[in-house]
Amino acid sequence: MRSKMFLLFGLLTCGDNLPYADSATGSFECLHQPPEGLYFVTFDKLSTNSREPDCGTLSSSNVNVFDGAVRLHDNAGCIMTSKSDNPRFCETNVQFECDDGTWEMSLDWAVRPDPTDADRFDGVLRADMVRFTGWTCVGTYKVVGERVHESR
C-alpha cells in the first residue's frame, strides 16, 4: 500500500514546465486570411422552420468584403452592430441593423474562407425583415463568393 501511495504521489508531482494546452482552448490557424476585396456572391435559399413568411430568393451581385465582413450598399441604411471572429472555425460573424425606408432588416452574416481556394468564401446569411406596411419575413441563405479579378 505504501509503495502505491509513493507511486501516486510521484505521478502527481512529476511533470514538465511546458504550458498546458487544452484542445478546447488551443490556438487554431486558418489556411487562408478572411476574404477581402470584390466578390461575385450567389445566394441559395435554405429551408426555414419558421412560422414567419419566407423572404424568397436573393439575386446574385458583386459585393465588397473587408476583413471577412460583407460591406452593404449605402442605400440599404445599414449599421454594423457587432463583428466577431471565430478562429476555431475560421469564421467572421457580422450583424447589421438596416432601415432603407421600405424595409427594416436584421442581417446576420457568417463568412469563412474556402480552405482549398483563396479566391472563394462561403457562409450563411440570416435575414429578419419588416416592410413599412408591417409585413414580416425571414430568410436563411447559403452564400458563396468568388473573387472578381479586375482586368487591366
Side-chain angles (χ1 to χ4, degrees), residues 39-129:
Y39 288 81
F40 181 74
V41 176
T42 58
F43 301 91
D44 291 323
K45 189 170 64 114
L46 301 174
S47 64
T48 57
N49 294 327
S50 174
R51 294 176 191 240
E52 298 274 340
D54 190 287
C55 290
T57 60
L58 294 177
S59 299
S60 302
S61 63
N62 285 337
V63 298
N64 282 303
V65 181
F66 178 72
D67 194 30
V70 174
R71 301 201 62 159
L72 303 174
H73 194 278
D74 289 342
N75 292 343
C78 295
I79 296 171
M80 183 187 303
T81 56
S82 72
K83 178 180 182 286
S84 62
D85 295 312
N86 184 337
R88 183 171 191 159
F89 298 105
C90 301
E91 186 173 84
T92 302
N93 297 290
V94 181
Q95 287 78 40
F96 290 95
E97 293 297 325
C98 309
D99 186 348
D100 67 0
T102 302
W103 291 97
E104 290 180 7
M105 301 170 278
S106 293
L107 305 175
D108 296 332
W109 294 80
V111 171
R112 63 187 164 268
D114 186 310
T116 61
D117 187 348
D119 288 335
R120 289 176 52 100
F121 71 83
D122 65 14
V124 174
L125 167 62
R126 289 178 192 81
D128 290 308
M129 301 172 61

